[in-house]
Amino acid sequence: MAAPSPTDRHSRKFLGRLSLPERRFVADALRAETVGGVLLLVAAIAALLWANIPALADSYAGVRSFHIGPASLGLDLSLQHWAADGLLAIFFFVAGIELKRELVAGDLRDPKAAALPVIAALCGMAVPALVYVLVNAIGGGSMGGWAVPTATDIAFALAVLAVIGTSLPSALRAFLLTLAVVDDLFAIMIIAVFFTSGIDFLALGGAVVGLVLFWFLLRKGVRGWYVYIPLALVIWGLMYNSGVHATIAGVAMGLMLRCSRKEGERTSPGEHIEHLVRPVSAGLAVPLFALLSAGVSLSDKSIAQVFTRPETLGVVLGLVVGKAVGIFGGTWLAARFTRAELNEDLAWPDVLAVASLAGIGFTVSLLIGELAFTGDQTLTDEVKAAVLFGSLIAAVVAGVMLKLRNRTYRELTEDEERDEDRDGIPDIYEQDKPEYHLRMAKIYEERAAEHRRKAETAAAAALEAATGSSAEGDRPA
């Protein structure tokens, strides 16, 4: 996203054109996330209906609390627990691969280019946490939920884009994806550091040994799902029993995959596995988690609590105000001090719209909400409701801002995708290639010849019609 400026070799372009391979990767990744986001949206709505229709509410509670699993292995868990600790491990496995790829082949590989999105993401986590702390310090609420509004849900954000029909240019989409990847990294660190208690060092040691074996097999080039899936399940089970949140196992294994391409490889092993696992994560794991976690009671009293109780109000304001202010402010300051110039096709209100869109925090926010208020089911449900309302408000605000610029986005996207010579590569990436201009010259020559033929045919037809009319006029009555 950072390219040298033609006018100043010391300045860099922010939100400039992506390289063609990066653009294709971003497009493929976001396409899967968009589909998953729509499924996530459907699952969240289904959960809310299931939990709030009186005739069905009891069955929803019964399904969530239904226990299954081997008790002898410490895995006799409720379905809701399996979703949060098991299914989300798949989600974080994909997040680990994304992070590894960004570090070795994406925007984060260059420290100068990485500085801006990383600073933006950090500010986009710090300011919401600060907003939560201030609200609860003034209102006398619990500080335990400070991390809830810090997360961004890329799938839900893209689902909102799909619903409102806004076509963001690839640079803005890549910026949003990079923000979400860095966001996931720090969310993982928050979960590991602040929501781990009572560590079983024997189980943790076993998990570490399993991870070392996983790494060793990868480095030796051992292949076969029948080797890695059983090993991954063992690592996950040991990590869960150690007291460290089990999703950390998924992240660790994702980071171990090789995401750089060797000579002759079309895709790296990490990219290949991500391509296989992402649909499972986005299309199954995350929607099921939403179905089992997003069902909260939305009575008049609970809705009023969202906007009056300090814990829930802190979450709403953190997502709506904190995220927008943090990401936009961090981006503006980083651009100013690194002398990065904003792409001339875009404007700072576009960055503010994306920052507001990042206020949609769902999957990880719900997970942290459950971890932060374990043992207080009423407050947990109210915090989940606050996440839903905060995300909804952020989506509406971002949607309005994006709609105001939709025409500009559509024109930029059409320019990015135009392929008049039909060689499979957008024309914008071939402006410095002589063979492209020769192909276009041939195409225009053929079109000009076709138009000349059509002009000659039309002229002949007009002359024939005129001659026929003249002959009829000279005929005696």
Side-chain angles (χ1 to χ4, degrees):
M1 289 194 297
S5 168
T7 58
D8 182 0
R9 64 188 181 90
H10 296 295
S11 65
R12 296 178 292 110
K13 286 290 183 186
F14 166 54
L15 295 179
R17 187 194 313 158
L18 303 178
S19 66
L20 185 58
E22 185 69 9
R23 183 180 184 275
R24 286 173 171 168
F25 174 82
V26 169
D28 290 342
L30 296 183
R31 192 178 298 113
E33 291 286 4
T34 301
V35 174
V38 173
L39 292 175
L40 180 62
L41 188 59
V42 171
I45 294 171
L48 289 171
L49 292 175
W50 193 359
N52 287 278
I53 295 176
L56 301 176
D58 290 341
S59 66
Y60 181 74
V63 168
R64 284 206 304 185
S65 60
F66 181 78
H67 278 63
I68 189 172
S72 58
L73 298 178
L75 298 174
D76 181 20
L77 310 177
S78 67
L79 291 181
Q80 184 180 6
H81 209 159
W82 274 111
D85 288 85
L87 293 177
L88 284 193
I90 302 173
F91 167 81
F92 279 107
F93 175 70
V94 174
I97 301 175
E98 287 177 339
L99 177 61
K100 179 66 172 290
R101 187 199 163 278
E102 287 289 330
L103 289 169
V104 301
D107 292 324
L108 301 182
R109 72 186 184 281
D110 178 7
K112 291 182 179 179
L116 202 149
V118 169
I119 291 171
L122 284 172
C123 292
M125 298 186 78
V127 176
L130 180 61
V131 168
Y132 179 94
V133 169
L134 288 175
V135 171
N136 282 270
I138 295 170
S142 169
M143 296 294 181
W146 64 271
V148 175
T150 60
T152 293
D153 195 303
I154 183 68
F156 224 140
L158 292 171
V160 170
L161 287 178
V163 170
I164 65 177
T166 297
S167 180
L168 278 183
S170 59
L172 282 174
R173 288 177 176 262
F175 181 58
L176 183 60
L177 178 62
T178 305
L179 282 176
V181 170
V182 178
D183 197 295
D184 286 341
L185 168 65
F186 287 101
I188 291 159
M189 294 173 63
I190 288 171
I191 291 171
V193 174
F194 295 98
F195 298 104
T196 295
S197 59
I199 295 179
D200 183 332
F201 288 98
L202 182 61
L204 181 60
V208 171
V209 171
L211 288 170
V212 171
L213 178 59
F214 189 88
W215 176 86
F216 179 77
L217 293 174
L218 288 173
R219 292 299 171 273
K220 290 298 181 180
V222 176
R223 297 186 177 184
W225 63 267
Y226 46 84
V227 173
Y228 291 103
I229 290 181
L231 178 58
L233 291 174
V234 171
I235 293 170
W236 176 87
L238 288 169
M239 189 69 75
Y240 175 82
N241 281 288
S242 72
V244 177
H245 201 270
T247 54
I248 304 301
V251 179
M253 288 184 278
L255 287 170
M256 289 181 181
L257 294 175
R258 178 169 62 82
C259 292
S260 57
R261 300 179 188 179
K262 293 183 178 179
E263 186 176 353
E265 287 185 337
R266 294 185 60 186
T267 60
S268 65
E271 291 171 318
H272 176 67
I273 293 173
E274 181 186 16
H275 180 72
L276 295 175
V277 179
R278 185 186 289 277
V280 179
S281 170
L284 180 66
V286 176
L288 279 178
F289 168 76
L291 182 65
L292 293 170
S293 295
V296 294
S297 174
L298 296 180
S299 64
D300 293 342
K301 182 180 178 181
S302 63
I303 293 174
Q305 287 276 55
V306 167
F307 297 99
T308 56
R309 186 163 182 164
E311 294 89 351
T312 50
L313 183 60
V315 170
V316 173
L317 293 178
L319 290 171
V320 177
V321 179
K323 273 289 183 183
V325 172
I327 292 175
F328 180 82
T331 303
W332 187 83
L333 289 172
R336 179 168 181 173
F337 287 106
T338 60
R339 290 186 289 182
E341 296 178 355
L342 184 65
N343 179 3
E344 59 273 7
D345 294 326
L346 299 171
W348 282 106
D350 300 319
V351 179
L352 180 59
V354 172
S356 298
L357 193 64
I360 301 175
F362 189 76
T363 306
V364 179
S365 292
L366 292 178
L367 174 62
I368 294 177
E370 291 181 356
L371 296 174
F373 299 107
T374 301
D376 190 340
Q377 190 60 48
T378 300
L379 184 53
T380 298
D381 287 345
E382 289 175 354
V383 166
K384 287 182 180 180
V387 170
L388 296 177
F389 277 104
S391 299
L392 177 61
I393 296 170
V396 171
V397 172
V400 170
M401 288 192 287
L402 292 170
K403 273 294 185 182
L404 294 175
R405 294 271 289 170
N406 195 41
R407 182 178 178 181
T408 301
Y409 298 151
R410 187 167 59 248
E411 291 173 353
L412 291 173
T413 303
E414 288 173 355
D415 288 340
E416 288 181 355
E417 296 176 350
R418 186 174 293 113
D419 183 18
E420 292 189 3
D421 61 343
R422 299 180 181 179
D423 65 344
I425 299 175
D427 296 340
I428 200 170
Y429 290 97
E430 299 187 289
Q431 298 301 310
D432 59 345
K433 296 180 180 179
E435 56 271 22
Y436 161 75
H437 294 288
L438 291 174
R439 285 196 303 271
M440 291 305 300
K442 183 178 179 181
I443 290 171
Y444 286 131
E445 288 167 2
E446 291 173 351
R447 289 178 182 175
E450 178 64 23
H451 282 295
R452 280 192 292 269
R453 285 194 296 270
K454 289 181 178 180
E456 291 169 0
T457 301
L463 180 60
E464 183 179 348
T467 303
S469 299
S470 176
E472 288 180 6
D474 293 340
R475 188 179 303 161

